[in-house]
Amino acid sequence: MIRDMDLCRRILLAVESSPANTWTQEFPFDNEYEHVVVTEHVALLKDARLIDAEIIRYVSSDPPDFVIKSLTWAGHDFLDAARDEGRWARAKQRLADAGVGITLELLKETLEALARGDLGLSA
Protein backbone atom coordinates (compact mmCIF):
# COMPACT_ATOMS: atom_id res chain seq x y z
CA MET A 1 0.00 0.00 0.00
CA ILE A 2 1.24 3.47 -0.86
CA ARG A 3 0.75 6.15 1.77
CA ASP A 4 -1.74 8.75 0.59
CA MET A 5 -1.17 12.06 2.39
CA ASP A 6 -4.42 13.45 0.97
CA LEU A 7 -6.33 10.59 2.59
CA CYS A 8 -4.48 11.21 5.87
CA ARG A 9 -5.54 14.86 5.75
CA ARG A 10 -9.15 13.92 4.97
CA ILE A 11 -9.23 11.53 7.93
CA LEU A 12 -7.87 14.22 10.25
CA LEU A 13 -10.42 16.76 9.01
CA ALA A 14 -13.25 14.25 9.50
CA VAL A 15 -12.10 13.39 13.02
CA GLU A 16 -11.89 17.07 13.92
CA SER A 17 -15.41 17.74 12.68
CA SER A 18 -16.95 14.84 14.61
CA PRO A 19 -18.50 15.34 18.06
CA ALA A 20 -16.21 14.45 20.96
CA ASN A 21 -16.32 10.85 22.16
CA THR A 22 -18.76 9.74 19.46
CA TRP A 23 -16.46 8.67 16.63
CA THR A 24 -17.33 5.58 14.63
CA GLN A 25 -15.62 3.91 11.70
CA GLU A 26 -17.54 5.81 9.04
CA PHE A 27 -16.26 8.70 6.94
CA PRO A 28 -18.10 10.86 4.42
CA PHE A 29 -15.67 9.60 1.76
CA ASP A 30 -15.87 5.85 2.52
CA ASN A 31 -17.13 5.01 -0.97
CA GLU A 32 -13.91 6.40 -2.50
CA TYR A 33 -11.50 4.01 -0.73
CA GLU A 34 -11.41 0.37 0.26
CA HIS A 35 -12.00 -0.05 3.99
CA VAL A 36 -8.67 -1.80 4.45
CA VAL A 37 -6.87 1.20 2.88
CA VAL A 38 -8.61 3.62 5.23
CA THR A 39 -7.83 1.36 8.19
CA GLU A 40 -4.15 1.20 7.29
CA HIS A 41 -4.03 4.99 7.02
CA VAL A 42 -5.70 5.27 10.42
CA ALA A 43 -2.95 2.97 11.73
CA LEU A 44 -0.29 5.21 10.15
CA LEU A 45 -1.83 8.31 11.74
CA LYS A 46 -1.89 6.51 15.08
CA ASP A 47 1.77 5.51 14.67
CA ALA A 48 2.61 9.14 13.83
CA ARG A 49 0.82 10.14 17.06
CA LEU A 50 -1.62 12.41 15.24
CA ILE A 51 -4.69 10.53 16.49
CA ASP A 52 -5.67 8.41 19.45
CA ALA A 53 -7.15 5.26 17.93
CA GLU A 54 -7.48 1.52 18.33
CA ILE A 55 -6.85 -0.84 15.44
CA ILE A 56 -8.83 -4.06 15.77
CA ARG A 57 -7.26 -7.02 14.01
CA TYR A 58 -9.44 -10.10 13.95
CA VAL A 59 -8.24 -13.70 14.19
CA SER A 60 -10.44 -14.55 11.22
CA SER A 61 -9.75 -13.36 7.71
CA ASP A 62 -11.97 -10.31 8.21
CA PRO A 63 -10.17 -7.05 7.41
CA PRO A 64 -9.00 -4.99 10.37
CA ASP A 65 -11.23 -2.31 11.82
CA PHE A 66 -10.64 0.79 13.93
CA VAL A 67 -12.09 3.20 16.42
CA ILE A 68 -10.77 6.75 16.53
CA LYS A 69 -11.05 8.49 19.88
CA SER A 70 -9.63 11.93 19.08
CA LEU A 71 -6.92 14.03 17.52
CA THR A 72 -3.80 14.44 19.61
CA TRP A 73 -2.15 17.80 20.28
CA ALA A 74 0.27 17.04 17.42
CA GLY A 75 -2.69 16.10 15.22
CA HIS A 76 -4.35 19.44 15.89
CA ASP A 77 -1.08 21.26 15.14
CA PHE A 78 -0.59 19.39 11.87
CA LEU A 79 -4.19 19.95 10.82
CA ASP A 80 -4.01 23.66 11.63
CA ALA A 81 -1.02 23.91 9.28
CA ALA A 82 -2.68 21.72 6.63
CA ARG A 83 -6.24 23.02 6.77
CA ASP A 84 -5.98 25.65 4.01
CA GLU A 85 -6.48 23.94 0.64
CA GLY A 86 -4.21 26.36 -1.22
CA ARG A 87 -1.38 26.01 1.28
CA TRP A 88 -1.79 22.22 1.20
CA ALA A 89 -1.45 22.17 -2.59
CA ARG A 90 1.51 24.58 -2.54
CA ALA A 91 3.36 22.50 0.07
CA LYS A 92 2.89 19.26 -1.87
CA GLN A 93 3.96 20.95 -5.10
CA ARG A 94 7.05 22.48 -3.47
CA LEU A 95 8.16 19.05 -2.24
CA ALA A 96 7.40 17.44 -5.61
CA ASP A 97 9.35 20.18 -7.44
CA ALA A 98 12.31 19.55 -5.14
CA GLY A 99 12.17 15.86 -6.04
CA VAL A 100 11.98 14.69 -2.45
CA GLY A 101 9.59 12.23 -0.90
CA ILE A 102 6.72 13.67 1.06
CA THR A 103 7.46 12.71 4.63
CA LEU A 104 5.22 13.86 7.45
CA GLU A 105 7.95 16.00 8.98
CA LEU A 106 8.96 17.65 5.70
CA LEU A 107 5.33 18.28 4.84
CA LYS A 108 4.62 19.82 8.24
CA GLU A 109 7.76 22.00 8.07
CA THR A 110 6.83 23.15 4.55
CA LEU A 111 3.26 23.92 5.60
CA GLU A 112 4.52 25.89 8.59
CA ALA A 113 7.05 27.79 6.45
CA LEU A 114 4.27 28.70 4.00
CA ALA A 115 2.04 29.82 6.88
CA ARG A 116 4.85 31.98 8.26
CA GLY A 117 5.27 33.48 4.78
CA ASP A 118 1.52 34.12 4.55
CA LEU A 119 1.81 36.02 7.83
CA GLY A 120 4.84 37.98 6.66
CA LEU A 121 7.09 36.31 9.19
CA SER A 122 10.61 35.20 8.39
CA ALA A 123 11.09 31.54 7.59
Side-chain angles (χ1 to χ4, degrees):
M1 178 196 76
I2 296 173
R3 181 178 56 186
D4 181 339
M5 294 305 277
D6 290 315
L7 175 56
C8 290
R9 179 175 174 261
R10 290 179 81 179
I11 291 168
L12 293 173
L13 286 166
V15 172
E16 180 189 53
S17 68
S18 69
N21 300 317
T22 59
W23 194 249
T24 65
Q25 296 95 343
E26 297 177 17
F27 292 112
F29 49 82
D30 272 346
N31 60 341
E32 298 175 43
Y33 300 92
E34 291 182 36
H35 184 72
V36 68
V37 172
V38 174
T39 302
E40 290 304 318
H41 280 76
V42 167
L44 290 171
L45 291 167
K46 178 184 178 193
D47 289 346
R49 297 187 176 142
L50 297 181
I51 59 172
D52 182 11
E54 296 299 324
I55 307 301
I56 304 156
R57 301 198 188 274
Y58 300 103
V59 176
S60 67
S61 62
D62 291 337
D65 223 332
F66 60 87
V67 174
I68 299 173
K69 299 174 184 174
S70 64
L71 293 176
T72 63
W73 189 273
H76 280 285
D77 284 350
F78 180 82
L79 192 52
D80 284 343
R83 182 179 323 284
D84 181 78
E85 191 69 43
R87 186 178 311 126
W88 177 257
R90 289 189 338 251
K92 290 190 324 176
Q93 189 61 53
R94 183 174 285 185
L95 292 170
D97 290 348
V100 298
I102 299 179
T103 68
L104 182 65
E105 282 305 312
L106 276 176
L107 183 56
K108 185 178 179 204
E109 288 175 22
T110 304
L111 287 163
E112 289 173 345
L114 290 170
R116 282 191 295 280
D118 291 347
L119 292 170
L121 302 173
S122 62

